[in-house]
């Protein structure tokens, strides 16, 4: 058996990649220096994989920003608004597409399947694809010349590329494919001529349901390759789930098929059992989790390989990660503050490579015998699995008791709405914001001083209170109806709560790439989650004491906390969500007791957890809704529950949103206004709703008229009595001046709308 890897994190152990990119963008690093630094990093990563003993090492998985953008620019696919005249795409254009220039807006970016990685969406419209450079070939040559490594070039497959691109009509799909295919053929031919043994063609789209037209395209693509490059070995790689069209996939004329036996384990195993695996093909067995952070039980993995060897000749099995290691941090070695029990249970990219190598060696020797070298792995794995530090009986009992409760508010929305209106006496079209106000340099500096213990707790609390003073006053001056405290005490909406709840751990260096140079350091939920102390009451109560107007309490919802964390795998995600919800419920109740009458529970990441398999989506949505209701259902009728969601498509989940039973929801719409309005035409929404009237991701101050027309359009389909007015999202990344100016315009637009819609 051979060992292989599908991709290695780009960012570097010390985020050298991020630093180099950002220095280049800031003009502090020249192009040549950037190239030099990135090459060094790239070669280091290859060297590391070789030294650890990986047999088949991926090349061309490295990127200057994003691998989908690399593929598009390799084909000369550049939106017309950027001035580009053919040839290799210059770095200035490349980064222009990714980040925007002063003359041209950036391309859209969106989530890479069900991960938290975002890619740049290729815009095909108007482009004439040509091969501007053979990137996989350059990467192969570099590894061979500099390190003597004969790597495995990684390429995004044609079907996945086409399906993820936009700017063409469905009816034109075949035309576009016929433009792209010859370019792919040229790449592969040049690789074959160079003596390349294996290429990895990534087709993760094969884990989703394809139309018969797409299945035909798939067959055309791989038949074309088989005819034009018969002597190149293609590993057709799927990941993130089981192959949906298994039968068609194994029938393709390729030499190897890579399957995910972690996230698509049951589906792929049952397909293999039912339909077998072709004798003449290699199976890329993705048995080591490429996107989770936990150590594998090598014993269990060996058993899995043994099971697979019942269907596939072991000589034709390659042991590999389930997907690229892009989605996990670099190494556990840099963590010095985690408990040893937890640290021993973790495996990031480097540790996963070790697991792959160890497993391959053992499997090559004897599949039926657990070797000695697995002992340490098994000990750590079992210790953590059964650790008392992860379990809390009180929580497990509380969650079990909730299982068959109704989880309903005391009264239905219609009656709540009446008592809430009587209580609050808000004008028609109440105005509010989403929660955060600008986190100025001053705010960030204060937090640093406090974290470094240069400021005492009192100094820091004082500072936060002053920010609240300033912004309560500003909000009153601007004329907003429902105020917020501003979230100055929070760096991150998940980390803030994670740090205050039991069951969470934080790494020092567990960074992963989210998009471009932006890296995130997700918290780890390793044990039962429990409420310990009040988390937000102090600041909210203080803000409320400064004003007669209502101040909304501000919490991050259970599903968002879960989806933006690395989570334990010994209990179902559903259970984790309920534990989080149960803890948040205690905070909701504490806020209510402290006299806070409006509480917002943000769920911007609800849609991100949606399973790739359609048949699993309804179940996920059902428990996501239940978790939200668990967190919010015990309050009095007079307490108004708000929620907020942003930047995703909602049209297919309006019913779930309705079922969450929040009194008011605020949704991002300014980027997708038309579409969302349309979905409210076909599905009625019967609770309070605020459609964001301006895009907070731009420093531009929107005009009054612009916002008035947004409001009017929305009022064609939504009930004026239930309509709220707010920006798209939190304002934490904006400056003070532009925020105040924008909100003043928003209030003015509201006044115009009010006079248009109130009969005199
Ligand atoms: N309340 C949060 C804020 O305003 C919401 C952020 C979000 O939706 N991502 O910052
Ligand atoms: Zn938002």
């Amino acid at each position: 058996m051979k060992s292989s890897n599908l991709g290695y994190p780009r960012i570097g152990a010390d985020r050298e990649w991020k630093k180099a990119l950002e220095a280049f963008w800031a003009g502090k690093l020249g192009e040549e220096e950037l190239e030099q630094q990135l090459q060094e990093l790239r070669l280091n990563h290859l060297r590391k994989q070789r030294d650890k003993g990986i047999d088949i090492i991926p090349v061309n998985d490295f990127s200057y920003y994003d691998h989908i953008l690399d593929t598009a620019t390799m084909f000369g696919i550049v939106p017309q608004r950027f001035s580009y005249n053919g040839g290799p795409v210059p770095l200035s254009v490349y980064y222009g597409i990714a980040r925007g220039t002063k003359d041209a807006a950036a391309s859209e970016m969106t989530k890479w399947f069900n991960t938290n990685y975002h890619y740049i969406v290729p815009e095909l419209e108007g482009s004439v694809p040509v091969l501007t450079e053979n990137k996989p070939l350059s990467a192969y040559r570099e590894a061979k010349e500099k390190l003597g490594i004969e790597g495995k070039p990684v390429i995004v497959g044609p079907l996945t590329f086409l399906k993820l691109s936009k700017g063409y009509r469905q009816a034109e799909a075949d035309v576009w494919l016929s433009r792209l295919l010859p370019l792919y053929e040229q790449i592969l031919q040049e690789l074959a001529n160079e003596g390349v043994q294996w290429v990895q063609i990534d087709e993760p789209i094969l884990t989703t349901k394809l139309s018969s037209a797409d299945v035909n395209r798939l067959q055309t693509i791989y038949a074309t390759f088989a005819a034009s490059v018969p002597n190149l070995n293609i590993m057709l790689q799927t990941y993130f789930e089981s192959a949906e069209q298994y039968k068609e996939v194994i029938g393709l004329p390729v030499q190897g098929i890579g399957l995910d036996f972690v996230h698509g384990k049951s589906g792929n195993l049952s397909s293999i059992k039912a339909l077998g695996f072709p004798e003449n093909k290699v199976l890329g067995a993705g048995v080591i989790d490429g996107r989770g952070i936990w150590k594998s039980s090598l014993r269990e993995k060996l058993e899995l390989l043994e099971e697979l060897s019942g269907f596939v000749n072991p000589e034709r099995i390659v042991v590999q990660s389930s997907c690229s290691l892009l989605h996990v941090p670099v190494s556990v070695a840099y963590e010095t503050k985690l408990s040893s029990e937890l640290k021993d249970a973790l495996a990031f990219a480097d540790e996963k490579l070790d697991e792959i190598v160890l497993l391959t060696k053992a499997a090559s020797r004897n599949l039926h015998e657990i070797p000695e070298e697995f002992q340490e792995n098994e000990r750590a794995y079992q210790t953590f699995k059964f650790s008392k530090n992860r379990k809390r009986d009180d929580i497990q009992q509380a969650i079990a008791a909730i299982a068959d409760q109704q989880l309903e508010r005391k009264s239905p929305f219609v009656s709540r709405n009446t008592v809430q209106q009587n209580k609050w006496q808000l004008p028609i079209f109440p105005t509010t914001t989403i929660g955060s106000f600008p986190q100025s340099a001053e705010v960030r500096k204060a937090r640093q001083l406090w974290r470094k213990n240069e400021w005492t707790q009192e100094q820091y609390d004082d500072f936060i209170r002053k920010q609240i003073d300033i912004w309560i006053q500003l909000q009153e001056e601007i004329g907003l109806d429902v105020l917020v405290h501003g979230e100055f005490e929070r760096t991150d909406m998940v980390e803030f709560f994670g740090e205050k709840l039991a069951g969470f751990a934080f790494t020092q260096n567990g960074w992963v790439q989210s998009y471009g140079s932006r890296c995130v350091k997700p918290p780890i939920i390793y044990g039962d989650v429990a409420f310990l102390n009040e988390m937000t009451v102090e600041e909210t109560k203080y803000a409320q004491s400064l004003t007669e107007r209502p101040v909304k309490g501000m919490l991050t919802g259970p599903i968002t906390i879960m989806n933006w964390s690395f989570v334990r795998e010994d209990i179902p995600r559903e259970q984790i969500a309920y534990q989080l919800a149960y803890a948040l419920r205690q905070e909701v109740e504490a806020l209510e007791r402290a006299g806070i009458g409006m509480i917002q529970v943000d769920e911007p990441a609800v849609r991100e957890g949606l399973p790739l398999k359609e048949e699993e989506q309804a179940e996920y949505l059902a428990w996501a809704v239940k978790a939200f209701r668990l967190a919010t259902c015990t309050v009095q009728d007079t307490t108004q529950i708000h929620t907020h969601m942003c930047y995703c498509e909602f049209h297919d989940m309006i019913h779930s949103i309705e079922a969450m039973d929040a009194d008011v929801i605020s949704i991002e719409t300014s980027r997708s206004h038309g579409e969302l309005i349309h979905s409210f035409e076909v599905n009625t929404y019967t609770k309070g709703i605020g459609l964001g009237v301006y895009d907070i991701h731009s420093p531009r101050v929107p005009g009054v008229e612009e916002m008035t027309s947004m409001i009017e359009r929305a009022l064609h389909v939504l009930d004026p009595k239930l309509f709220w007015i707010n920006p798209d999202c939190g304002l934490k990344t904006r400056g003070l001046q532009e925020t105040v100016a924008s909100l003043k315009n928003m209030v003015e637009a509201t006044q115009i709308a009010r006079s248009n819609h109130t009969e005199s």
Side-chain angles (χ1 to χ4, degrees):
M1 275 189 210
K2 285 219 155 76
S3 59
S4 180
N5 179 26
L6 307 195
Y8 188 80
R10 302 159 184 152
I11 59 175
D14 198 23
R15 281 180 297 154
E16 297 90 331
W17 187 80
K18 171 194 176 70
K19 289 169 194 166
L21 260 57
E22 289 175 1
F24 175 71
W25 296 335
K28 291 181 195 144
L29 203 68
E31 193 162 324
E32 238 170 76
E33 289 163 289
L34 175 74
E35 269 161 21
Q36 230 170 36
Q37 290 191 9
L38 295 191
Q39 184 185 51
E40 195 182 314
L41 201 56
R42 188 161 64 227
L43 294 176
N44 269 340
H45 297 166
L46 294 175
R47 216 175 279 126
K48 192 187 278 178
Q49 294 176 75
R50 179 194 61 195
D51 294 349
K52 283 188 179 289
I54 296 288
D55 300 315
I56 307 172
I57 297 171
V59 295
N60 195 45
D61 55 328
F62 193 84
S63 176
Y64 276 55
Y65 195 93
D66 159 47
H67 52 277
I68 300 294
L69 178 59
D70 293 345
T71 313
T73 52
M74 172 166 79
F75 295 142
I77 297 169
V78 173
Q80 278 169 332
R81 59 187 180 277
F82 297 93
S83 36
Y84 162 69
N85 308 311
V89 174
L91 262 192
S92 57
V93 175
Y94 177 87
Y95 284 133
I97 304 171
R99 310 174 63 232
T101 64
K102 63 181 194 328
D103 307 312
S107 280
E108 191 187 319
M109 116 188 136
T110 196
K111 269 167 66 71
W112 176 241
F113 295 88
N114 57 359
T115 70
N116 198 11
Y117 177 86
H118 300 73
Y119 67 91
I120 302 291
V121 182
E123 298 174 37
L124 302 188
E125 193 179 7
S127 71
V128 183
V130 286
L131 189 64
T132 63
E133 56 177 319
N134 190 338
K135 285 186 183 171
L137 180 63
S138 317
Y140 177 81
R141 283 186 175 152
E142 180 188 63
K144 191 164 177 185
E145 280 160 21
K146 304 267 179 205
L147 302 169
I149 293 174
E150 295 191 32
K152 167 188 63 168
V154 179
I155 312 172
V156 179
L159 192 65
T160 298
F161 182 77
L162 191 66
K163 297 284 288 176
L164 300 188
S165 298
K166 63 172 201 181
Y168 69 98
R169 283 180 292 117
Q170 216 25 59
E172 302 164 339
D174 287 316
V175 178
W176 279 101
L177 191 58
S178 68
R179 291 176 185 150
L180 291 169
L181 266 188
L183 312 185
Y184 271 100
E185 284 179 80
Q186 191 184 335
I187 292 174
L188 297 176
Q189 267 154 7
E190 289 176 12
L191 291 175
N193 293 342
E194 190 76 11
V196 169
Q197 290 303 307
W198 280 97
V199 291
Q200 172 187 321
I201 303 192
D202 283 354
E203 293 280 21
I205 201 77
L206 299 181
T207 62
T208 65
K209 197 156 269 152
L210 295 179
S211 65
S212 58
D214 280 329
V215 173
N216 285 339
R217 284 179 194 120
L218 181 72
Q219 284 160 342
T220 309
I221 293 167
Y222 289 92
T224 308
F225 293 168
S228 57
V229 275
N231 45 359
L232 182 67
N233 293 314
I234 291 177
M235 174 64 82
L236 179 69
Q237 186 62 52
T238 66
Y239 41 79
F240 299 147
E241 251 302 349
S242 59
E244 183 75 29
Q245 281 80 15
Y246 180 81
K247 190 162 164 240
E248 286 79 7
V249 169
I250 56 169
L252 294 170
V254 292
Q255 291 65 33
I257 289 167
L259 299 174
D260 183 334
F261 287 101
V262 178
H263 299 277
K265 184 178 169 191
S266 63
N268 280 332
L269 266 181
S270 54
S271 293
I272 284 199
K273 284 176 189 163
L275 299 161
F277 189 82
E279 247 170 57
N280 58 349
K281 288 191 189 355
V282 168
L283 173 67
V287 293
I288 298 294
D289 190 357
R291 53 187 293 195
I293 52 164
W294 305 104
K295 181 168 270 177
S296 319
S297 157
L298 294 178
R299 179 186 52 77
E300 285 171 14
K301 300 298 176 183
L302 192 67
E303 283 162 13
L304 176 57
L305 287 174
E306 191 183 345
E307 187 176 1
L308 287 172
S309 73
F311 306 91
V312 187
N313 182 342
E315 277 167 27
R316 292 190 156 269
I317 294 180
V318 174
V319 180
Q320 56 188 29
S321 54
S322 66
C323 62
S324 167
L325 303 177
L326 182 64
H327 310 290
V328 289
V330 174
S331 173
V332 183
Y334 308 103
E335 302 304 326
T336 57
K337 296 193 175 148
L338 297 173
S339 73
S340 64
E341 186 182 273
L342 177 57
K343 192 174 164 180
D344 273 355
L346 296 173
F348 297 167
D350 287 354
E351 293 76 26
K352 289 187 190 287
L353 294 175
D354 294 334
E355 290 185 348
I356 292 171
V357 172
L358 216 57
L359 185 61
T360 311
K361 279 190 191 144
S364 309
R365 263 197 325 264
N366 186 348
L367 270 168
H368 318 291
E369 198 176 287
I370 312 289
E372 289 245 344
E373 354 26 310
F374 282 14
Q375 264 177 22
E376 175 48 30
N377 167 278
E378 193 62 16
R379 187 204 54 77
Y381 182 82
Q382 296 295 340
T383 306
F384 183 65
K385 189 169 174 184
F386 298 106
S387 164
K388 286 200 187 65
N389 300 326
R390 305 176 72 192
K391 300 212 166 41
R392 295 186 53 133
D393 291 338
D394 55 338
I395 298 299
Q396 297 193 353
Q397 279 157 16
I399 302 298
I402 284 158
D404 39 37
Q405 276 176 26
Q406 277 306 309
L407 304 178
E408 274 174 356
R409 293 283 299 266
K410 297 190 169 51
S411 313
F413 173 74
V414 232
S415 13
R416 275 164 17 220
N417 189 36
T418 316
V419 292
Q420 286 170 17
Q421 266 176 355
N422 286 339
K423 174 176 175 193
W424 301 108
Q425 297 288 327
L426 293 173
I428 184 169
F429 310 146
T431 54
T432 190
T433 62
I434 305 304
S436 58
F437 280 126
Q439 295 236 337
S440 57
E442 203 192 350
V443 174
R444 291 197 300 268
K445 175 124 186 283
R447 187 158 33 239
Q448 259 179 18
L449 290 169
W450 167 69
R451 286 232 153 122
K452 282 195 235 143
N453 283 326
E454 285 174 37
W455 268 17
T456 61
Q457 187 66 43
E458 289 86 83
Q459 266 174 309
Y460 182 63
D461 292 346
D462 246 13
F463 173 87
I464 297 291
R465 272 194 295 271
K466 286 216 181 70
Q467 295 297 314
I468 298 175
D469 292 341
I470 296 170
W471 276 95
I472 290 291
Q473 198 184 340
L474 274 170
Q475 292 174 85
E476 287 193 337
E477 280 166 21
I478 292 165
L480 294 163
D481 301 307
V482 172
L483 314 190
V484 295
H485 78 284
E487 301 181 26
F488 300 104
E489 75 288 6
R490 311 179 187 176
T491 21
D492 178 276
M493 62 190 288
V494 171
E495 186 186 61
F496 177 81
F497 291 94
E499 280 176 343
K500 295 182 162 49
L501 292 167
F504 282 78
F506 292 84
T507 62
Q508 288 150 282
N509 204 43
W511 297 99
V512 289
Q513 188 188 357
S514 170
Y515 65 88
S517 68
R518 180 161 164 82
C519 299
V520 293
K521 194 156 67 67
I524 297 173
I525 301 181
Y526 70 90
D528 289 337
V529 173
F531 175 92
L532 299 172
N533 294 299
E534 292 176 352
M535 303 178 277
T536 64
V537 175
E538 192 82 29
E539 289 86 2
T540 320
K541 215 164 75 177
Y542 177 71
Q544 185 64 84
S545 75
L546 302 172
T547 179
E548 296 289 308
R549 302 182 198 190
V551 171
K552 275 191 288 190
M554 200 54 65
L555 307 176
T556 304
I559 304 295
T560 297
I561 295 185
M562 181 182 72
N563 285 347
W564 286 348
S565 300
F566 283 122
V567 301
R568 60 196 293 194
E569 285 166 356
D570 58 328
I571 62 172
R573 288 172 83 81
E574 179 181 354
Q575 290 300 316
I576 303 173
Y578 295 155
Q579 290 186 2
L580 283 160
Y582 183 66
L584 288 164
R585 169 199 274 196
Q586 293 163 74
E587 184 70 9
V588 166
E589 289 170 354
L591 283 167
E592 192 181 46
R593 275 198 305 275
I596 303 302
M598 293 188 183
I599 301 167
Q600 180 171 313
V601 180
D602 288 328
E603 284 290 23
V606 149
R607 206 178 187 287
E608 296 189 9
L610 206 61
L612 290 175
K613 300 281 185 207
E614 264 170 50
E615 59 273 22
E616 291 166 17
Q617 293 176 352
E619 192 189 331
Y620 164 80
L621 287 172
W623 57 255
V625 167
K626 189 168 165 192
F628 185 87
R629 292 167 66 134
L630 171 56
T632 52
C633 71
T634 51
V635 296
Q636 301 303 315
D637 283 348
T638 44
T639 297
Q640 193 168 65
I641 296 291
H642 290 234
T643 188
H644 164 72
M645 295 184 183
C646 54
Y647 295 101
C648 35
E649 296 155 37
F650 293 106
H651 51 270
D652 53 358
M653 56 174 287
I654 295 224
H655 296 294
S656 303
I657 297 177
E658 179 108 40
M660 287 163 68
D661 203 22
D663 297 299
V664 184
I665 181 169
S666 56
I667 307 194
E668 172 274 331
T669 42
S670 62
R671 283 198 193 175
S672 53
H673 204 69
E675 288 161 41
L676 212 93
I677 299 275
H678 177 70
S679 48
F680 286 113
E681 271 164 6
V682 285
N683 309 283
T684 45
Y685 189 80
T686 55
K687 290 167 190 150
I689 182 162
L691 297 189
V693 295
Y694 80 87
D695 180 9
I696 58 88
H697 287 79
S698 155
R700 195 176 70 89
V701 174
V704 176
E705 248 171 68
E706 193 180 320
M707 288 192 272
T708 322
S709 79
M710 283 257 204
I711 296 169
E712 291 303 332
R713 277 179 61 194
L715 287 174
H716 284 306
V717 290
L718 292 167
D719 181 353
K721 285 198 218 63
L722 295 169
F723 193 67
W724 286 63
I725 292 177
N726 48 260
D728 256 357
C729 192
L731 295 157
K732 112 180 180 192
T733 56
R734 297 271 60 89
L736 178 131
Q737 307 287 327
E738 79 220 29
T739 298
V740 172
S742 302
L743 290 175
K744 278 191 175 152
N745 285 355
M746 186 182 90
V747 169
E748 203 179 318
T750 306
Q751 277 151 0
I752 295 170
R754 279 177 188 155
S755 60
N756 289 345
H757 288 267
T758 349
E759 285 107 284
S760 44

